[in-house]
């Protein structure tokens, strides 16, 4: 009988999600969390593993002879040794586009909070300082209007493309850096070099997979190329 093990369900649900569809496929065992030293013992007899944050390197993978598939509750698969999985004929599946709009919403929330000083002004009002003010104004630091500012988007996948549409609607100038700009000939955005992104952007958003190639992409040299503002 096929055995499925879910290793860290607590990272995606607090009891509001049901796994009936998975349970109906095969015998399924769920763990809230799994430490690295618990993986082999819990997964020894499993053919399918489902995880979110648990890492699988080649040392763990080679100890699981029955394993046929690792499925990830996420888009990023940087915690999985893909080459080791290929060597041992283990399939790897991810969720390619499950939360792109949510990520864009989060990016925008941080951007607005920083440029509009939302937290600062909210605290100012909640502390009673607004009602005590002699003038009906609130001067808690400079606010930056996004219209006319340049946002550099590095990576033009599902998230990058959705983000570009949203910030363009706010009046921002959008420049894009991607490894394969020729794939996006149908888009009217300005594709530029990584160095140009660094020099011209007022805001930079990284929308890239975690990989060896992208590791430390923003380093001291990259920061030195950016505007002081």
């Amino acid at each position: 009988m096929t055995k499925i093990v879910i290793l860290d369900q607590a990272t995606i649900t607090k009891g509001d999600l049901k796994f009936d569809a998975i349970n109906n496929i095969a015998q399924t065992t769920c763990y809230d969390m799994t430490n690295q030293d618990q993986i082999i013992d819990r997964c020894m007899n499993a053919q399918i593993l489902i995880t979110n944050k648990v890492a699988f390197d080649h040392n763990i993978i080679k100890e699981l002879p029955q394993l046929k598939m690792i499925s990830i509750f996420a888009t990023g698969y940087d915690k999985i040794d893909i080459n080791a999985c290929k060597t041992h004929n283990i399939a790897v599946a991810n969720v390619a586009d499950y939360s792109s709009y949510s990520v864009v919403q989060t990016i925008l929330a941080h951007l607005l909070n920083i440029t509009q000083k939302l937290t600062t002004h909210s605290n100012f009002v909640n502390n009673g300082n607004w009602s005590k003010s002699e003038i009906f104004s609130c001067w808690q630091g400079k606010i930056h209007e996004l219209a006319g500012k340049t946002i550099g988007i590095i990576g033009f996948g599902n998230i990058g493309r959705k983000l570009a549409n949203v910030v363009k609607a706010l009046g921002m100038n959008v420049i894009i850096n991607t490894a394969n700009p020729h794939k996006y000939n149908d888009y009217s955005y300005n594709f530029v070099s990584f160095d140009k992104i660094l020099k011209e952007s007022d805001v930079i958003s990284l929308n890239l997979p975690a990989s060896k190639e992208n590791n430390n992409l923003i380093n001291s040299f990259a920061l030195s190329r950016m505007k002081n503002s």
Side-chain angles (χ1 to χ4, degrees), residues 142-161:
K142 186 177 181 180
I143 292 176
H144 300 273
E145 184 169 293
L146 293 177
K149 294 289 193 298
T150 296
I151 181 169
I153 298 176
I154 302 176
F156 204 52
N158 291 321
I159 294 171
R161 294 194 297 273

Side-chain angles (χ1 to χ4, degrees), residues 89-154:
N89 295 315
I90 298 169
V92 178
N94 67 330
V95 188
D97 187 20
Y98 74 101
S99 65
S100 295
Y101 281 115
S102 295
V103 175
V104 170
Q105 182 173 300
T106 301
I107 294 170
L108 194 63
H110 285 299
L111 183 56
L112 290 172
N113 187 41
I114 292 168
T115 58
Q116 307 303 299
K117 300 189 181 300
L118 299 179
T119 300
T120 300
H121 287 99
S122 178
N123 291 337
F124 182 84
V125 172
N126 289 328
N127 290 335
N129 293 318
W130 174 270
S131 58
K132 298 173 185 176
S133 178
E134 295 181 355
I135 56 174
F136 200 63
S137 297
C138 182
W139 304 104
Q140 297 297 301
K142 186 177 181 180
I143 292 176
H144 300 273
E145 184 169 293
L146 293 177
K149 294 289 193 298
T150 296
I151 181 169
I153 298 176
I154 302 176

Side-chain angles (χ1 to χ4, degrees), residues 23 42 64 73 112 135 146 168 170:
N23 294 331
R42 291 181 173 184
L64 302 173
F73 282 126
L112 290 172
I135 56 174
L146 293 177
K168 185 178 181 180
L170 294 175

Side-chain angles (χ1 to χ4, degrees), residues 43-218:
C43 302
M44 180 59 67
N45 298 315
Q47 288 75 48
I48 300 174
L49 302 178
I50 304 177
T51 181
N52 186 19
K53 307 295 185 183
V54 178
F56 285 84
D57 61 22
H58 69 281
N59 291 321
I60 291 175
I61 290 170
K62 70 180 182 180
E63 297 295 328
L64 302 173
Q66 296 190 45
L67 185 59
K68 301 299 182 185
M69 180 179 185
I70 300 175
S71 185
I72 307 159
F73 282 126
T75 299
Y77 50 86
D78 51 291
K79 290 185 176 294
I80 311 298
D81 189 329
I82 299 298
N83 290 328
C85 288
K86 288 180 179 178
T87 299
H88 294 275
N89 295 315
I90 298 169
V92 178
N94 67 330
V95 188
D97 187 20
Y98 74 101
S99 65
S100 295
Y101 281 115
S102 295
V103 175
V104 170
Q105 182 173 300
T106 301
I107 294 170
L108 194 63
H110 285 299
L111 183 56
L112 290 172
N113 187 41
I114 292 168
T115 58
Q116 307 303 299
K117 300 189 181 300
L118 299 179
T119 300
T120 300
H121 287 99
S122 178
N123 291 337
F124 182 84
V125 172
N126 289 328
N127 290 335
N129 293 318
W130 174 270
S131 58
K132 298 173 185 176
S133 178
E134 295 181 355
I135 56 174
F136 200 63
S137 297
C138 182
W139 304 104
Q140 297 297 301
K142 186 177 181 180
I143 292 176
H144 300 273
E145 184 169 293
L146 293 177
K149 294 289 193 298
T150 296
I151 181 169
I153 298 176
I154 302 176
F156 204 52
N158 291 321
I159 294 171
R161 294 194 297 273
K162 290 179 174 65
L163 176 62
N165 291 334
V166 170
V167 294
K168 185 178 181 180
L170 294 175
M172 298 190 76
N173 301 317
V174 181
I175 54 178
I176 310 291
N177 175 255
T178 180
N180 300 295
H182 60 275
K183 291 171 54 178
Y184 307 105
N185 291 331
D186 295 337
Y187 290 81
S188 59
Y189 291 109
N190 187 17
F191 293 91
V192 301
S193 67
F194 179 64
D195 190 60
K196 193 175 180 68
I197 284 270
L198 297 177
K199 288 180 178 179
E200 296 190 2
S201 298
D202 299 295
V203 177
I204 291 178
S205 178
L206 301 178
N207 304 285
L208 298 162
S211 67
K212 292 180 180 178
E213 294 75 21
N214 297 328
N215 190 37
N216 293 327
L217 183 68
I218 302 300

